[in-house]
Amino acid sequence: MAREILEELAVALPGCVSTAAEDLRLYSRDQGPVVHPTLPTAVVRVRTVPDVQTLLRWATRYGVPVVSRGAGSGVSGGAHATVGSVILSLELMNTILAINADDETAVVEPGVINADLNAAVAEHGLMYAPDPASYRWSTIGGNVATNAGGLRCAKYGVTRDSVLALDVVLADGTLVSTGHRTFKGVAGYDLTALMTGSEGTLGVIVGITVRLRYLPRAVHTLAAFFDDFPQAAAGVLAIGRARVQPAILELLDGQTLEALDGAHGSDLRRRGGSLLLARTDGYGAAAEADAIRAALVELGASVSDEGSEEADLLVDLRRHSRGDEVDDLYRVGEDVAVPKSQLVHYVAALESMAARHHVRLKVVAHAGDGNLHPTFWVERSEGIEAQTRLEEALDESVRCALDLGGTITGEHGVGQYKRRWLAWEQSPQILELQARIKQVFDPLGILNPGKAIVS
């Protein structure tokens, strides 16, 4: 990019544009695997909607790719820099613009942290239901861009189920508003749903109206320990057949329990070979917990009703179950979903393929909606051959999920990393239709190119 072009942007957005080497490195990627390491040309930290419009008009004028990001907590490479791109950081647009307790809605800027919104609305007896594991630092804008999930998805759905309206800046700088402030509304095409989960490829989300839920008056948390992982997976079906809807239903295998014990000093693995963590909420929480306990005890589980402090600790440990990066390991965490009826089959298949490919495996799952996060890893010291085995295991795990009626991504998004599998799930006709939609919103292809869809 010519220097004078970048200088023009810096003049138009004083104090927002950085080309410092450390900023370029820091903002060049999110938490996902890096396929093609690339540094951006600049990082632009905007503060207002007009700032975003100015940047996109400039980008359209010169054909510069723009990669939007919030906190960079995504794990599929959706916010990785691409060649010649500028990174648009929305983290400073972090104001809660309105809370309407009677309408049970809030209006926020995209940089608002998920946990901060929940803290603000809790004062009104309300909550924002989507709660990804990264809720303490991930932004609402990023959650919307990826249609993020979370632990409470089992009962309250994914982010899309809580988004009512969006303010979006299109590629040419035009500001549009989609959706409505009411819970119901069916006028025209649902562009709000289309934008939610579009991973920055159709526009830049600059304002979000969300639906709030009632803060539960009571919660009950059960820890059910089984001898092995397939038995715990069978417990998920038993709860469903009892027709009980937990707010949280999480599944952790023995390897995950061992890792958590080593990192946090807990004693989970000693209590069993696998953990099914269930939380009920609302006025019927106690009765629902009793029904869940009965169903799981009948399967042979050791079930304890956790007190509030122990329960919060267990839920918090689940949020940390992905683990931190370790330099001596080559590790990739997956995000697939299968129909709940196939959970037991898929879990058994994962264990089989890990043994066959000689790779290590641990699995956690948002079991209430069939969304699993298997993590495969090998020692880096084993060299290229071990990495090849790992990639083969990843491919097989995705193919198996699809064969069971599942999907390549339940909540993390396609990003850059998972595009190689998209054509396994979607037909050529659907891929072409998505490319044509992208062309309507972004005719120059400057919004987050090489992400989310095959175009």
Side-chain angles (χ1 to χ4, degrees):
M1 184 187 305
R3 177 179 297 178
E4 57 269 21
I5 294 176
L6 200 54
E7 288 176 349
E8 178 184 324
L9 180 65
V11 171
L13 294 172
C16 295
V17 181
S18 174
T19 57
E22 180 59 20
D23 283 340
L24 299 184
R25 183 197 64 78
L26 182 63
Y27 286 84
S28 67
R29 59 164 299 184
D30 58 26
Q31 301 300 307
V34 178
V35 179
H36 305 294
T38 304
L39 291 179
T41 302
V43 175
V44 185
R45 302 183 188 93
V46 296
R47 297 181 177 86
T48 66
V49 173
D51 285 351
V52 178
Q53 293 179 282
T54 296
L55 171 62
L56 289 180
R57 288 170 184 147
W58 170 88
T60 292
R61 187 179 310 126
Y62 296 110
V64 178
V66 176
V67 178
S68 304
R69 64 171 274 153
S73 60
V75 293
S76 290
H80 287 353
T82 53
V83 175
S85 66
V86 297
I87 299 295
L88 167 55
S89 171
L90 298 152
E91 62 190 319
L92 300 180
M93 294 181 65
N94 57 6
T95 301
I96 298 174
L97 299 172
I99 297 173
N100 191 316
D102 288 333
D103 286 343
E104 299 157 25
T105 62
V107 183
V108 301
E109 291 186 322
V112 170
I113 302 296
N114 186 299
D116 291 345
L117 175 59
N118 263 299
V121 302
E123 299 177 10
H124 303 276
L126 299 167
M127 69 176 183
Y128 176 62
D131 66 330
S134 58
Y135 80 105
R136 289 191 180 95
W137 62 89
S138 65
T139 63
I140 302 296
N143 295 167
V144 173
T146 58
N147 192 25
L151 274 66
R152 290 195 291 241
C153 284
K155 183 172 183 178
Y156 297 101
V158 295
T159 297
R160 182 177 285 120
D161 299 303
S162 292
V163 176
L164 298 175
L166 296 172
D167 296 323
V168 182
V169 178
L170 302 180
D172 64 359
T174 302
L175 176 65
V176 299
S177 296
T178 72
H180 35 76
R181 291 172 54 191
T182 56
F183 293 167
K184 296 171 68 176
V186 294
Y189 295 140
D190 192 348
L191 298 182
T192 303
L194 176 63
M195 286 289 178
T196 304
S198 62
E199 302 186 43
T201 63
L202 300 179
V204 178
I205 296 167
V206 293
I208 306 146
T209 301
V210 299
R211 176 180 183 174
L212 303 173
R213 308 281 181 162
Y214 302 137
L215 198 64
R217 294 291 184 180
V219 297
H220 280 255
T221 304
L222 298 176
F225 287 89
F226 290 82
D227 290 338
D228 58 42
F229 198 44
Q231 282 183 312
V236 177
L237 296 180
I239 292 172
R241 288 166 183 157
R243 299 300 182 249
V244 181
Q245 180 60 74
I248 293 176
L249 187 58
E250 298 292 309
L251 186 57
L252 296 82
D253 73 351
Q255 287 277 4
T256 301
L257 300 183
E258 288 180 11
L260 288 172
D261 289 345
H264 302 281
S266 51
D267 66 344
L268 300 176
R269 186 64 180 86
R270 181 186 60 79
R271 298 171 66 181
S274 184
L275 167 63
L276 187 57
L277 182 64
R279 171 170 284 181
T280 58
D281 68 6
Y283 285 107
E288 291 178 331
D290 287 342
I292 290 174
R293 181 187 296 104
L296 298 183
V297 167
E298 189 173 336
L299 287 180
S302 171
V303 183
S304 62
D305 194 339
E306 302 294 316
S308 59
E309 185 175 339
E310 294 82 1
D312 289 342
L313 175 61
L314 279 174
V315 172
D316 198 49
L317 286 174
R318 163 60 186 93
R319 295 186 188 279
H320 288 88
S321 59
R322 180 177 172 83
D324 299 323
E325 286 296 330
V326 180
D327 289 340
D328 60 353
L329 298 180
Y330 181 58
R331 183 178 68 184
V332 178
E334 257 312 311
D335 163 48
V336 298
V338 299
K340 284 203 300 182
S341 62
Q342 300 300 321
L343 267 175
V344 176
H345 302 297
Y346 188 62
V347 164
L350 285 173
E351 293 179 342
S352 175
M353 67 184 70
R356 190 167 56 256
H357 291 285
H358 304 289
V359 298
R360 302 288 296 280
L361 169 71
K362 65 177 184 179
V363 186
V364 296
H366 303 304
D369 53 20
N371 185 192
L372 300 101
H373 298 311
T375 297
F376 295 95
W377 77 94
V378 294
E379 302 285 341
R380 288 190 184 274
S381 59
E382 295 181 65
I384 296 298
E385 188 271 337
Q387 293 186 23
T388 299
R389 295 199 316 269
L390 180 62
E391 293 295 336
E392 291 172 348
L394 287 169
D395 284 347
E396 185 176 345
S397 71
V398 172
R399 180 69 76 184
C400 180
L402 292 172
D403 289 344
L404 293 173
T407 177
I408 66 171
T409 175
E411 61 181 5
H412 292 165
V414 174
Q416 184 184 74
Y417 186 72
K418 300 174 81 73
R419 286 175 81 230
R420 58 176 169 158
W421 296 316
L422 192 58
W424 292 8
E425 176 173 341
Q426 298 183 330
S427 69
Q429 294 85 356
I430 292 298
L431 296 176
E432 170 63 19
L433 185 58
Q434 290 176 135
R436 288 161 58 189
I437 293 171
K438 165 79 167 170
Q439 176 71 18
V440 170
F441 283 88
D442 180 23
L444 298 181
I446 62 172
L447 295 180
N448 211 10
K451 316 287 179 56
I453 66 169
V454 176
S455 58

